[in-house]
Amino acid sequence: MRSRVVTSYRAGLIAEWRARWYLRLRGFRILASRYVTGRHTGCAEIDIIARRGNLIIFVEVKRRSSICGGFDAITPAQSVRLRRSAETYLAQMRWVGDARFDAIIVCDDGIHWVHGVL
């Protein structure tokens, strides 16, 4: 019989899945999940890249017990790496529309979507 232990890695994957559905229900099309510009480039993995109309959002998903814990988990160094990855993505796609960084924090009390966090 299998154990139903949820590891932090698995909990993170489930949180990302929930965040993708949350965005889809709000009219976004998911362009990429777990996007990495390249290994050993000093860039970070972007959890979700989504588009609605003329807006692309880069979403960092955090699974924490509280919304404050989710914000604390996004460090200044991570913010710099995320920005680098997003700039690379936008350059590769030759995007001329609007772009924004958001965070989706999946907590015990639900999903919190925070616009413009970086």
Side-chain angles (χ1 to χ4, degrees), residues 30-42:
I30 306 302
L31 301 176
S33 293
R34 308 187 86 198
Y35 173 81
V36 179
T37 55
R39 298 286 177 211
H40 311 294
T41 61

Side-chain angles (χ1 to χ4, degrees), residues 42-110:
C43 296
E45 174 186 283
I46 299 174
D47 294 329
I48 300 170
I49 303 173
R51 177 182 179 186
R52 182 173 65 191
N54 196 35
L55 173 67
I56 283 184
I57 59 171
F58 299 94
V59 182
E60 180 65 16
V61 179
K62 294 293 183 187
R63 170 69 180 105
R64 297 292 187 274
S65 58
S66 71
I67 192 168
C68 293
F71 279 118
D72 292 343
I74 303 172
T75 65
Q78 183 183 22
S79 298
V80 169
R81 291 191 312 272
L82 287 169
R83 186 168 300 278
R84 251 189 252 139
S85 290
E87 289 168 352
T88 301
Y89 181 85
L90 292 172
Q92 288 174 349
M93 300 307 284
R94 296 188 173 136
W95 181 253
V96 293
D98 296 326
R100 181 179 76 205
F101 284 95
D102 292 353
I104 292 181
I105 302 167
V106 180
C107 300
D108 295 340
D109 65 346

Side-chain angles (χ1 to χ4, degrees), residues 1-5 10:
M1 195 165 172
R2 287 189 189 196
S3 172
R4 294 209 177 245
V5 174
R10 186 175 168 100

